[in-house]
Amino acid sequence: MNLKDHIRGIPDFPKPGILFYDVSPLLASGAAWKAAIDELAEAVRPHKPDLLVGIESRGFLVAAPLALALGIGFIMVRKHGKLPGDKIAHSYNLEYGTDTIEVQADAVKPGQRVVVLDDLLATGGTMVAAINLLRQVGADVRAAAFLVELTFLNGRDRIDVPSVSLMAYDE
């Protein structure tokens, strides 16, 4: 199955000049979504994760069903102020300003093997921040995985763990 047939390009969203790669049609197709999860499972399984980590918010859509398919746990990395309880925060630079992400302090035990997932890899800034945050709490970050990668933005070059994407777009 060609998963790209289930990705919709939306021009000028969220602002003029941007082509948004919408995964909604993929999620809406039972057969395509199952194929994507099956492919990700094959790619992630060799890293032997104890937990999968989803980055807010579309990363949750990828990591949660994949964790279920692999029979392992799922945790969330969220934007500041979205998680209850004790949290560990990590701030990072954006093109124009900064952002902060958090994980619950007890979500990962030191040494647990994790793979971090998001729907799309663009510049890599959020993934790098999530990896740094997880290492800060003692996780053994084994890999990163994505449905879609925008290769022309070179985000993969910033990530220091093995990375896999199911679909790549060169422009």
Side-chain angles (χ1 to χ4, degrees):
M1 174 177 301
N2 185 352
L3 295 177
K4 280 187 172 183
D5 291 342
H6 300 276
I7 303 298
R8 176 174 45 202
I10 300 177
D12 299 320
F13 182 83
K15 61 184 182 178
I18 301 292
L19 177 61
F20 183 82
Y21 290 88
D22 184 15
V23 300
S24 297
L26 178 71
L27 299 172
S29 168
W33 187 224
K34 183 179 182 329
I37 293 299
D38 290 347
E39 285 185 38
L40 281 171
E42 289 305 309
V44 167
R45 191 175 282 115
H47 298 287
K48 299 182 171 131
D50 299 308
L51 293 169
L52 295 185
V53 180
I55 298 175
E56 184 169 341
S57 67
R58 290 186 304 262
F60 301 167
L61 300 172
V62 180
L66 182 56
L68 184 63
L70 294 173
I72 61 176
F74 159 71
I75 65 169
M76 299 174 283
V77 166
R78 297 209 64 188
K79 294 178 182 173
H80 175 71
K82 300 283 187 170
L83 288 171
D86 293 334
K87 299 163 292 293
I88 307 296
H90 178 77
S91 294
Y92 62 104
N93 292 324
L94 299 168
E95 189 174 347
Y96 300 104
T98 62
D99 205 354
T100 300
I101 55 174
E102 298 175 329
V103 67
Q104 289 174 313
D106 61 354
V108 180
K109 294 177 183 67
Q112 276 191 304
R113 297 178 305 267
V114 303
V115 172
V116 190
L117 292 107
D118 208 350
D119 68 320
L120 185 135
L121 172 61
T123 63
T126 303
M127 179 57 71
V128 168
I131 290 169
N132 289 337
L133 171 61
L134 292 160
R135 287 178 175 153
Q136 185 180 334
V137 297
D140 176 4
V141 182
R142 294 291 180 98
F146 311 88
L147 292 173
V148 175
E149 178 177 357
L150 306 181
T151 56
F152 59 95
L153 295 175
N154 301 313
R156 182 181 293 256
D157 295 346
R158 298 181 61 194
I159 300 170
D160 67 356
V161 296
S163 299
V164 63
S165 57
L166 299 187
M167 296 165 272
Y169 291 88
D170 297 327
E171 55 182 294

